[in-house]
Amino acid sequence: WRLIGTLRPSIIVASTPKAALLAGITGWIRRVPNRVYHVRGLRFEGLFGWRRHFSFAAEKLTIKLATAVVCDSWSLRDELQRHGILAAGSAVVLGQGSCCGVDTLHFRPPTLEERNVARASFGLNSDDFVLLFLGRITGDKGIREMVSASRILQQKLPHLVVLLVGSVEDDWITQGIVLPSNTKHFEFTADTRKALWAADAYCLPSYREGFPVSILEAQSCGLATITTTSTGCRDAVLHEYSGLLIPARDVSALETAILRLASTPGDRMVFGLNARARACTQFDQRLVISNWTKFIQEIDPFA
């Protein structure tokens, strides 16, 4: 309240449920002429009971207070419209989506030496088929399904290694999940690119997203990706072009997709090449930033 009163901005851009709601209320009361709600995901999709109802109502209020709504993906906009929170045509998706794009110069395919060094740092063998998950270790990212699939595939794919890299955000291990011998967990890596360079394919079996940046980083590194048809995820991968789409929470479908990528290196290579090309042409960070700059300047030429 004090900050906005002191700065008297002509435009506010806010995202995440709590921050956007507070900024929207304050900006409306302070009569900030341009209030942009940047929707990065639907929190209520992962909630139940009164929490879901409360989050749903907060989402509606935030959108009502905004003068413009930007969605990270087309499916995110579609879901807001389907739930009746957003009127058709009242929100925009910039380009093909994404909040920030990907630095395609930094996230690139590795050289053979870089790949060998990266794999050695995670204790991987040269003949391992490495399936990577990179992000928060939590239930709604589909970790249970990924661990279940890896356990089932131990006999069919003896060289499969499932690599989980990220901090544990819920007590998933004590909830009946014990990592099989072919699954490794690393709490932290200073360079996420090293994990991507060590992998043969990427997997994000998430229940919900806005537009997953980790998939863009993986594809920019030339990795074929398995993800779900959930909100946000289905925008990041073109099925049978840059990877495979499967239903969320479906262990059998995930098992089949992993087996497909592990046993068909030709498909994996083509998907990876297509993924890299798509990341460079549609989601390069400079393009996404340019789209945002143009959008802001159209709202307020003096911003």
Side-chain angles (χ1 to χ4, degrees):
W1 173 264
R2 287 194 299 268
L3 182 64
I4 292 177
T6 301
L7 295 177
R8 303 186 66 82
S10 60
I11 184 169
I12 295 174
V13 181
S15 61
T16 75
K18 185 191 294 183
L21 178 61
L22 294 176
I25 293 172
T26 309
W28 180 78
I29 296 173
R30 285 287 196 184
R31 298 295 185 265
V32 176
N34 301 296
R35 304 178 299 276
V36 180
Y37 177 27
H38 180 192
V39 188
R40 295 173 180 258
L42 300 180
R43 183 68 185 95
F44 65 80
E45 283 190 323
L47 300 175
F48 301 93
W50 70 267
R51 290 181 176 85
R52 181 182 176 90
H53 291 298
F54 181 83
S55 178
F56 189 89
E59 198 78 43
K60 289 187 72 173
L61 178 58
T62 304
I63 288 177
K64 188 173 183 179
L65 292 168
T67 59
V69 178
V70 178
C71 296
D72 264 0
S73 64
W74 295 99
S75 62
L76 192 57
R77 191 185 73 165
D78 292 344
E79 287 302 304
L80 285 171
Q81 292 176 354
R82 187 175 70 84
H83 285 287
I85 300 175
L86 188 68
S90 60
V92 298
V93 178
L94 303 179
Q96 294 301 309
S98 176
C99 64
C100 57
V102 59
D103 183 349
T104 57
L105 299 179
H106 178 74
F107 291 98
R108 55 172 176 78
T111 64
L112 180 59
E113 182 180 356
E114 289 169 335
R115 174 178 166 83
N116 291 337
V117 170
R119 289 172 79 91
S121 69
F122 288 101
L124 301 167
N125 297 320
S126 59
D127 60 344
D128 287 335
F129 173 77
V130 181
L131 184 70
L132 172 68
F133 168 89
L134 183 63
R136 298 181 296 113
I137 309 294
T138 185
D140 60 4
K141 296 293 185 182
I143 298 299
R144 292 180 181 86
E145 290 79 5
M146 197 167 178
V147 170
S148 297
S150 67
R151 181 178 288 109
I152 294 169
L153 287 168
Q154 279 184 308
Q155 298 301 320
K156 295 180 181 178
L157 294 174
H159 296 299
L160 171 66
V161 175
V162 174
L163 186 62
L164 308 175
V165 180
S167 58
V168 177
E169 292 201 2
D170 57 27
D171 207 6
W172 59 284
I173 293 178
T174 60
Q175 294 176 7
I177 295 182
V178 178
L179 295 182
S181 59
N182 66 346
T183 302
K184 295 185 176 187
H185 173 231
F186 289 83
E187 182 76 18
F188 174 78
T189 177
D191 184 4
T192 57
R193 186 175 62 171
K194 185 179 292 186
L196 293 165
W197 283 355
D200 293 291
Y202 188 75
C203 185
L204 177 63
S206 181
Y207 304 166
R208 63 177 185 88
E209 297 287 335
F211 195 117
V213 174
S214 67
I215 288 182
L216 290 183
E217 292 174 347
Q219 293 186 123
S220 188
C221 288
L223 294 179
T225 298
I226 301 169
T227 191
T228 66
T229 54
S230 301
T231 308
C233 293
R234 61 181 181 265
D235 301 80
V237 169
L238 294 182
H239 185 58
E240 294 287 351
Y241 179 79
S242 59
L244 300 173
L245 293 176
I246 61 170
R249 306 173 191 263
D250 191 331
V251 176
S252 177
L254 180 56
E255 175 194 351
T256 301
I258 295 171
L259 189 60
R260 161 87 179 276
L261 290 187
S263 58
T264 55
D267 286 355
R268 195 169 69 241
M269 182 184 70
V270 171
F271 290 165
L273 291 172
N274 292 340
R276 169 67 181 173
R278 187 167 182 250
C280 291
T281 57
Q282 298 184 12
F283 299 104
D284 185 89
Q285 194 172 71
R286 291 161 292 184
L287 174 62
V288 175
I289 292 172
S290 175
N291 289 337
W292 264 101
T293 302
K294 291 175 183 176
F295 172 75
I296 295 299
Q297 289 176 339
E298 286 174 0
I299 293 177
D300 185 350
F302 300 102

